[in-house]
Amino acid sequence: MGHDIAVARKRRRIPQQLLADRMLVTRQTLQRLEAGDPTVSLGVLASALFVLGFTSRLEALLAPGSDAMGISEDLARLPRRTHAPSDGDLDF
């Protein structure tokens, strides 16, 4: 994602210092983000995506439908068998 941010910044012809100023971070922090440094906070990433107009990318990361591990866990917890109600009331 850091590479994508660097490409988006360059396409817009925004110098690193200007983008860093808009994000309220140092140029070194932006350089670390663009280099893919895993120690850069999620807030810095979100700030970059917001300034560049990519908030939908952040939403996609957090969308429940894209949570493959969570979906897998939900499916694993489903009962193996189901039984009809004992009172015979199948109200649809």
Side-chain angles (χ1 to χ4, degrees):
M1 199 173 257
H3 175 71
D4 294 346
I5 290 170
V7 169
R9 178 184 57 76
K10 291 174 185 176
R11 283 183 174 168
R12 289 163 175 74
R13 299 189 190 314
I14 301 173
Q16 279 186 332
Q17 187 61 55
L18 180 58
L19 182 58
D21 291 344
R22 290 179 180 175
M23 293 170 54
L24 304 175
V25 299
T26 64
R27 187 172 49 84
Q28 290 78 15
T29 299
L30 176 58
Q31 288 172 337
R32 289 181 26 236
L33 173 66
E34 289 182 352
D37 185 341
T39 64
V40 176
S41 74
L42 183 59
V44 171
L45 173 62
S47 178
L49 293 175
F50 177 77
V51 170
L52 293 170
F54 288 126
T55 54
S56 61
R57 296 272 308 257
L58 190 59
E59 292 169 8
L61 283 174
L62 302 174
S66 65
D67 181 12
M69 179 61 93
I71 292 170
S72 175
E73 290 293 321
D74 281 347
L75 291 175
R77 285 190 290 259
L78 288 176
R80 299 214 182 263
R81 299 179 186 188
T82 58
H83 302 282
S86 60
D87 63 359
D89 183 22
L90 296 175
D91 186 19
F92 291 94

